Amino acid sequence: MKHSFVICAYKESPYLEECIKTVLSQSVKSVVYIATSTDNDYIRSLASKYDLEIKVANHESDIARDWNFALESADTEYVTIAHQDDIYEKSYTSNVLKELEKDDSSLICCTDYYEIRNDEKIKKNGNLMIKRILSLPLCFPLIRKTSFGKRFPISLGNGICCPSVTYAKGRLELPIFEEGMLSNLDWQTWERLSRQKGAFCYCHKLLMGHRIHEGSTTTEIIEDNSRGHEDYEMFRKFWPVPIAKIICKLYSNSEKSNKV
């Protein structure tokens, strides 16, 4: 098989089993693992129920280390790090592989997505519409190889949904996630990859659901007001200080949509 799903499991998420089911229900089959740095009976019981191998990290739990461990655990050419709270449509794998194999310079492939709030699928809101507009350059094969094409979707905010991303592992220098940031380590990674040779692929179909709930890391960071500094640090990678401050202020207002 060319593709792996590595499900990042942390503690005892009530949504983990639903994530596992959607990954195993793909129309195109993949290798599936569970990766965790918080090994426990709950995770092991689900792994046993669905006959999945568990990869247990030998490090203290940390989001960057956990994601790097998940990616490095897979032996396939393409890898999706599945977040335990999210779900994947049956055609996710088939569509992503189709896009990736159109261009052998592809570094990552991301997709459009919907939000899940209180078990309801939200397919349209302001936040999603902005991200879809930002991702438009990635729809065009010639543009998505360029610096502009790769950087525009992440220059006015993080237009790439992390759990929607499949990585062309063999074309990346590992580890790809840097320790330090709490909420923007994925955005930081896209910015670094955007300066490398290669394409960012994009599938405009709604192929996965990203859950917004009170227990999510993003929600906790926003409520703790810990994200503003990281956002400003990212905008400074694209804009002069005065413009970065203005964009950061506008962006902080849009983050309110991540609250349940």
Side-chain angles (χ1 to χ4, degrees):
M1 294 184 183
K2 291 185 175 182
H3 176 260
S4 295
F5 275 106
V6 184
I7 304 171
C8 269
Y10 178 72
K11 294 185 176 178
E12 299 182 4
S13 168
Y15 308 110
L16 176 57
E17 184 168 18
E18 186 178 3
C19 177
I20 292 172
K21 287 179 178 178
T22 63
V23 164
L24 292 175
S25 297
Q26 295 293 303
S27 59
V28 172
K29 300 304 178 184
S30 304
V31 180
V32 180
Y33 305 104
I34 293 177
T36 184
S37 59
T38 57
D39 189 19
N40 58 58
D41 291 340
Y42 175 75
I43 293 173
R44 287 194 170 273
S45 66
L46 288 176
S48 177
K49 181 177 179 179
Y50 294 96
D51 195 25
L52 299 179
E53 181 181 354
I54 301 178
K55 306 277 190 176
V56 179
N58 187 25
H59 62 245
E60 186 176 346
S61 185
D62 172 88
I63 191 167
R65 294 177 189 173
D66 290 350
W67 288 0
N68 283 325
F69 174 75
L71 184 58
E72 292 167 9
S73 294
D75 296 323
T76 54
E77 183 177 358
Y78 303 116
V79 184
T80 303
I81 301 175
H83 298 192
Q84 64 182 4
D85 297 340
D86 300 329
I87 62 175
Y88 294 81
E89 296 295 314
K90 290 184 178 181
S91 60
Y92 172 88
T93 305
S94 61
N95 277 279
V96 166
L97 292 182
K98 182 179 179 180
E99 289 296 325
L100 282 166
E101 297 194 336
K102 286 180 181 178
D103 189 337
D104 60 9
S105 75
S106 299
L107 302 173
I108 60 172
C109 181
C110 56
T111 78
D112 199 353
Y113 70 102
Y114 52 86
E115 294 179 349
I116 306 172
R117 296 172 181 267
N118 298 317
D119 294 324
E120 180 182 357
K121 293 182 179 181
I122 307 298
K123 298 182 179 180
K124 291 183 180 180
N125 61 29
N127 186 49
L128 291 171
M129 292 304 296
I130 290 172
K131 289 193 174 186
R132 286 165 188 162
I133 293 170
L134 290 174
S135 298
L136 283 176
L138 301 182
C139 294
F140 303 96
L142 293 179
I143 298 178
R144 64 192 185 192
K145 290 184 177 182
T146 66
S147 178
F148 167 80
K150 289 179 286 188
R151 292 179 72 79
F152 180 77
I154 54 176
S155 63
L156 296 171
N158 188 1
I160 296 177
C161 178
C162 186
S164 82
V165 172
T166 291
Y167 304 84
K169 181 180 177 181
R171 300 168 198 153
L172 303 173
E173 184 177 342
L174 303 180
I176 67 168
F177 298 105
E178 295 181 6
E179 296 180 34
M181 286 196 172
L182 295 175
S183 65
N184 289 340
L185 70 162
D186 56 334
W187 189 2
Q188 181 184 55
T189 295
W190 316 146
E191 191 278 329
R192 190 172 66 257
L193 293 180
S194 74
R195 291 185 269 112
Q196 298 181 15
K197 185 177 180 180
F200 283 8
C201 293
Y202 175 71
C203 185
H204 60 81
K205 298 178 181 179
L206 299 174
L207 294 177
M208 59 88 55
H210 178 47
R211 194 180 304 273
I212 308 295
H213 63 96
E214 292 180 350
S216 70
T217 301
T218 300
T219 301
E220 290 177 356
I221 291 170
I222 291 171
E223 291 180 348
D224 191 40
N225 296 317
S226 301
R227 190 166 178 174
H229 175 74
E230 290 190 8
D231 290 343
Y232 177 67
E233 186 176 337
M234 287 307 305
F235 286 123
R236 283 286 290 113
K237 295 179 183 292
F238 301 93
W239 306 98
V241 169
I243 297 176
K245 288 181 177 179
I246 294 171
I247 297 174
C248 190
K249 179 65 175 178
L250 295 172
Y251 190 64
S252 67
N253 292 332
S254 72
E255 287 174 354
K256 295 176 182 178
S257 67
N258 275 320
K259 292 186 178 181
V260 180

